[in-house]
Amino acid sequence: MNLKRIIAYVLGGITILVIGVAILAPTIVKSLGLHPDFDSKQYNLEGNRALIVTTSHGVLNKPGETTGDPTGVFASEMTIPYYEFLDANMQIDVASIKGGEIPVDPQSFIYFIKTESDKRYLKDEIFQAKVKNSIPLSEVNFKQYDVVFFAGGWGAAYDLAQSEILAEKVSDAYYNSDVIYGSVCHGALAFTEAKDTVGNYLIEGRTMTGVTMKQLEQLDISFTPKHPEPELKKAGANYQANHKTNDFFATLTVIDEEKRFVTGQNQNSGHETSQLIMKTLSEKK
């Protein structure tokens, strides 16, 4: 066998291997724990209203920098709860810190990361219009909703915990309505500055979760300004999390003792967190 033929065989083998890995990539990452399948129960919550709130920050940068890689809300952390609530016949509005077009992390739609809910979103002109024309936080009244859900993503590290009006709205609706709060991943930062009637942290003593520091460090994103694990602990929450060799593939959903806060650890927790919210809501009716 001459050298040219050997090289051709080797290159052919490498090409077949690369194509095979590319085809199997979605199955491989799911088997490791990314966006696990969930046997969702069908609820009928017609007449109930849900609000999904996201970041307005779309650049992954360090303090003092004005440019960086594009980021925003991680798509599945918005699309999965949206369709869970929609399929339960709930009326859903979409808001963001500043209003207007919500930045969606483009990495959300990489083919081996994209979820079925993301694919549904990309064909859903109504949902896309809500994302393009989101309601400014200043114009929404949390007390008018049965569920207020905060989506995560790197962008949320820049503007959820930093928003005084968000903290005030969380506290106001907690005391003056029966709203159930939900979040996944960085969405839990929406709760970390909310205060009770005497000025203590509203979430003090409550069992909660959010993305772990280990996951952030493993993804080399530790420079974002606010991190759920230390911020929840600082506010006195009883922080819980599951760990794997790589926390990107771990997941956990918990509810606080009063059944007002349902939180999911990361992007893998969307279905379970949404389902537990709806279970809790249906039991209150």
Side-chain angles (χ1 to χ4, degrees):
M1 185 178 294
N2 61 41
L3 181 59
K4 288 185 178 178
R5 182 168 294 181
I6 292 174
I7 293 174
Y9 279 134
V10 170
L11 292 177
I14 292 174
T15 302
I16 292 172
L17 179 62
V18 170
I19 293 173
V21 170
I23 292 173
L24 293 174
T27 303
I28 293 171
V29 294
K30 182 177 282 293
S31 70
L32 292 172
L34 179 64
H35 293 135
D37 292 330
F38 192 86
D39 186 16
S40 293
K41 179 181 177 179
Q42 184 63 53
Y43 290 94
N44 184 1
L45 295 171
E46 187 173 5
N48 289 270
R49 301 183 68 193
L51 175 69
I52 294 178
V53 184
T54 81
T55 179
S56 292
H57 187 87
V59 180
L60 193 60
N61 53 10
K62 297 179 180 178
E65 297 178 345
T66 56
T67 59
D69 292 335
T71 189
V73 63
F74 197 74
S76 66
E77 298 178 20
M78 175 180 67
T79 62
I80 288 175
Y82 180 89
Y83 287 117
E84 284 278 8
F85 299 149
L86 184 70
D87 292 342
N89 301 312
M90 297 180 74
Q91 179 184 334
I92 309 163
D93 293 324
V94 178
S96 63
I97 297 297
K98 294 181 179 178
E101 186 166 2
I102 294 170
V104 181
D105 190 334
Q107 295 192 53
S108 308
F109 298 130
I110 294 175
Y111 81 99
F112 60 86
I113 292 177
K114 190 166 47 180
T115 67
E116 292 302 316
S117 295
D118 297 332
K119 296 174 185 176
R120 188 174 169 184
Y121 163 76
L122 293 171
K123 297 177 181 177
D124 186 339
E125 294 181 357
I126 295 175
F127 189 8
Q128 289 184 37
K130 291 180 182 180
V131 171
K132 190 172 184 178
N133 303 284
S134 69
I135 307 167
L137 179 68
S138 60
E139 296 181 11
V140 294
N141 183 349
F142 288 180
K143 292 178 286 189
Q144 295 178 346
Y145 295 90
D146 301 283
V147 173
V148 176
F149 187 97
F150 297 94
W154 306 127
Y158 293 81
D159 60 4
L160 292 195
Q162 294 87 342
S163 171
E164 293 183 6
I165 187 172
L166 175 56
E168 291 170 359
K169 285 179 179 287
V170 168
S171 296
D172 178 48
Y174 170 80
Y175 284 110
N176 297 295
S177 76
D178 294 322
V179 66
I180 297 173
Y181 287 118
S183 71
V184 288
C185 202
H186 284 78
L189 289 169
F191 309 129
T192 56
E193 294 299 324
K195 301 294 177 58
D196 66 13
T197 54
V198 294
N200 295 321
Y201 288 112
L202 182 62
I203 61 173
E204 184 175 349
R206 298 179 189 273
T207 299
M208 306 189 86
T209 188
V211 67
T212 65
M213 282 305 298
K214 180 181 175 184
Q215 177 171 336
L216 299 180
E217 291 163 359
Q218 288 175 329
L219 294 173
D220 196 25
I221 308 289
S222 58
F223 60 82
T224 49
K226 294 284 185 179
H227 309 302
E229 180 177 347
E231 293 301 323
L232 288 169
K233 289 179 177 177
K234 187 174 74 175
N238 173 27
Y239 179 80
Q240 302 289 313
N242 276 337
H243 297 284
K244 286 190 172 183
T245 302
N246 190 324
D247 273 9
F248 187 66
F249 300 114
T251 184
L252 178 69
T253 291
V254 297
I255 186 169
D256 74 312
E257 293 69 13
E258 193 187 3
K259 297 186 176 181
R260 297 292 300 275
F261 294 84
V262 184
T263 50
Q265 182 171 327
N266 59 18
Q267 75 287 334
N268 303 323
S269 314
H271 285 293
E272 186 176 6
T273 303
S274 305
Q275 282 279 310
L276 184 53
I277 289 171
M278 292 191 291
K279 178 178 183 291
T280 304
L281 179 59
S282 64
E283 290 174 349
K284 284 187 173 183
K285 298 296 179 182

